[in-house]
Amino acid sequence: MENLLEQYANVVGNEVIDHLRQLAHPLRGMKILHINSTKEGGGVAEILNRLIPLKRELGIDAEWEIIKGEKEFYQCTKKMHNSLQGNRDDISSALLSTYENTNFQNFERLKEKLETADVVFIHDPQPAALLHFCKERKGKWVWRCHIDVSHPYRQVWKYLREYIKDYDASIWSLSGFVQPLSHPMYLIPPSIDPLSEKNIDLPEKEISDFLDSWGINRDCPLLTQVSRFDRFKDPVGVIQSYRLVKNYVPVQLVLAGGGASDDPEGEQVLQEVKAFTGDDPDVHILELPPDAHRAINALQRGSDIIIQKSLKEGFGLTVTEGLWKGKPVIGGDTGGIKLQVINHHCGFRVSTPEGAAIRIRYLLKHPEIMESMGKNARQFVLDNYLITRQLREYLTLVVALLYGSEESIELKLPDQ
Ligand code: UDP
């Protein structure tokens, strides 16, 4: 059995893997700790799940912990998330106390690891206050922002900024999100893992069996949006687009989603979506468990067009996943989707249900364009959005943080 890095070499080439080995060489044995708020559901968990084993394979002592809290904690952090993405949602001082207390309790639980790690990556707002309690830290701390903070509700950003400003650096997915801070700020977009269950090639039979098991008609074009049930993902707008298309051509829609343990609003949004759908037999709402990676893979591969009609989106891994499967993507003209859906090249960016419907109809009428866009899409992800690229950029950042003041840094392959 090939080791993990050799498997990646088969996808991206040996040079890319050698480069990773070189960058990781000065970091071997170092403790790099990642902290976020959930092990499953949502894009951050998706990435960490794959990044940690890769770092370990490169000789880095990488670990992943999560911050844990009660219901009120997630209520607070979901409000923070919504406010950072632009909602004017004031957060009560009681909820903010819960946020601070929960961070303190988690600091106590993880104290040793937090104090001794060489580098700590804190993902998103949930664990951002841990640094405040870690007075004896040895390592460098980096805040990794995965959300669209281009137009935050100022009150909430001002509160959070007090914690973020003390970090040694921060990472953002695109320049439009960056907020003024005096530490070094880096732009590193997320990525997908081509070898994960979510993205590996699947046998045709598995794809058709999956569609059959959900009663999806394989002879009728299929539009799919995979997302947590979250208003920023605009599931209702997707149904409106589908209805506009269906006035002219037969089409089916799948909205697939499950909950994330750090997202308390999912159930309510799901009920709204079901009510809006009514009893249309061509709309399939698939509630999938958080580990249904192969099922989502089969669904994306069995679809004709992938939709991600978000109104706000930090990045949108589901977009990259669809592109990687050679599908044209109709994406909301927002946030990280702008980096991925290049108009007329691998899909279309849209701002309204009507706009989405026009583009969907156009694609369904021109299968040859869908095919060529699909090819472009796959190549675009290969060139830009695979995990090996993200890992290279993370390693470069860590090397710069730890050795940046030295006159030169020698990067060599481990066996040289
Ligand atoms: N996802 C999943 N099950 C679901 C909904 C989403 O596995 O029911 C996955 C999806 O395939 C993608 C990630 O969760 O890998 C969502 O990441 P994205 O960046 O698109 O959105 P986020 O949820 O982080 O806002």
Side-chain angles (χ1 to χ4, degrees), residues 42-44 46 198 226-228 233 256-258 288 290 293 296 300 313 316-318 321:
V44 183
E46 188 82 20
K198 178 75 56 66
V226 175
S227 273
R228 290 179 294 105
K233 309 283 185 183
L288 299 172
H293 301 300
I296 288 177
Q300 289 166 330
E313 190 61 78
L317 287 184
T318 51
E321 290 162 4

Side-chain angles (χ1 to χ4, degrees), residues 30-43:
M30 287 203 175
K31 289 182 200 238
I32 298 189
L33 179 61
H34 286 263
I35 305 209
N36 78 321
S37 60
T38 178
K39 285 265 178 182
E40 46 189 24

Side-chain angles (χ1 to χ4, degrees), residues 40 85 89 92 135 144 154 175 186 189 212 214 250 274 283 297 299 305 329 341 346 349 351 377-378 403 416:
E40 46 189 24
Q85 296 213 131
D89 201 352
S92 69
K135 305 290 182 208
R144 202 316 173 204
R154 298 313 310 181
S175 58
Y186 297 84
D212 290 346
W214 285 91
K274 283 184 174 167
V283 179
N297 188 346
L299 173 62
I305 297 173
V329 176
V341 178
C346 53
R349 294 200 307 271
S351 304
R378 169 103 180 172
Y403 300 103
Q416 285 174 333

Side-chain angles (χ1 to χ4, degrees), residues 131-395:
L131 174 60
H132 174 74
F133 300 108
C134 190
K135 305 290 182 208
E136 308 287 324
R137 67 172 160 130
K138 166 186 169 199
K140 302 280 186 189
W141 284 53
V142 182
W143 186 61
R144 202 316 173 204
C145 178
H146 293 268
I147 50 191
D148 177 348
V149 202
S150 50
H151 299 96
Y153 179 38
R154 298 313 310 181
Q155 302 284 72
V156 173
W157 171 246
K158 258 171 72 185
Y159 171 82
L160 207 60
R161 192 183 175 284
E162 285 306 299
Y163 294 114
I164 310 298
K165 69 178 178 31
D166 294 332
Y167 281 72
D168 296 295
S170 53
I171 307 176
W172 311 73
S173 293
L174 65 157
S175 58
F177 296 171
V178 174
Q179 292 295 316
L181 288 160
S182 56
H183 59 221
M185 293 185 274
Y186 297 84
L187 297 180
I188 304 183
S191 61
I192 60 161
D193 185 337
L195 301 181
S196 70
E197 294 276 286
K198 178 75 56 66
N199 296 310
I200 45 165
D201 287 343
L202 294 180
E204 279 304 318
K205 179 154 183 353
E206 186 169 342
I207 299 168
S208 51
D209 284 353
F210 176 81
L211 298 178
D212 290 346
S213 72
W214 285 91
I216 296 164
N217 177 359
R218 280 187 275 139
D219 298 322
C220 177
L222 178 60
L223 316 173
T224 293
Q225 174 158 302
V226 175
S227 273
R228 290 179 294 105
F229 288 99
D230 179 317
R231 293 189 187 93
F232 283 126
K233 309 283 185 183
D234 199 18
V236 167
V238 175
I239 299 169
Q240 288 169 331
S241 314
Y242 148 85
R243 284 183 184 154
L244 290 168
V245 175
K246 208 182 171 199
N247 285 336
Y248 299 93
V249 279
V251 68
Q252 304 168 96
L253 173 67
V254 167
L255 290 173
S261 58
D262 60 347
D263 181 356
E265 282 177 355
E267 187 51 38
Q268 195 187 339
V269 177
L270 173 61
Q271 293 316 322
E272 288 167 16
V273 170
K274 283 184 174 167
F276 190 75
T277 304
D279 55 6
D280 185 337
D282 290 326
V283 179
H284 303 266
I285 297 176
L286 274 48
E287 293 171 61
L288 299 172
D291 59 353
H293 301 300
R294 254 185 120 93
I296 288 177
N297 188 346
L299 173 62
Q300 289 166 330
R301 287 181 191 278
S303 303
D304 295 279
I305 297 173
I306 298 296
I307 306 182
Q308 190 57 56
K309 216 199 94 31
S310 305
L311 304 170
K312 288 275 180 177
E313 190 61 78
F315 185 68
L317 287 184
T318 51
V319 172
T320 336
E321 290 162 4
L323 296 173
W324 180 242
K325 282 142 198 156
K327 307 293 170 182
V329 176
I330 306 286
D333 189 19
T334 185
I337 297 177
K338 292 186 183 185
L339 291 179
Q340 304 181 72
V341 178
I342 310 302
N343 271 330
H344 296 274
H345 182 69
C346 53
F348 293 104
R349 294 200 307 271
V350 298
S351 304
T352 59
E354 292 76 13
I358 288 170
R359 295 310 194 180
I360 293 166
R361 277 185 66 200
Y362 170 80
L363 286 175
L364 292 177
K365 250 174 108 176
H366 296 93
E368 71 293 352
I369 292 181
M370 280 216 276
E371 198 183 326
S372 72
M373 279 190 176
K375 284 196 183 125
N376 297 341
R378 169 103 180 172
Q379 187 63 40
F380 189 58
V381 175
L382 181 64
D383 293 341
N384 295 287
Y385 294 119
L386 294 186
I387 194 165
T388 38
R389 188 271 309 153
Q390 188 179 358
L391 180 56
R392 185 191 71 221
E393 292 179 344
Y394 274 11
L395 295 178

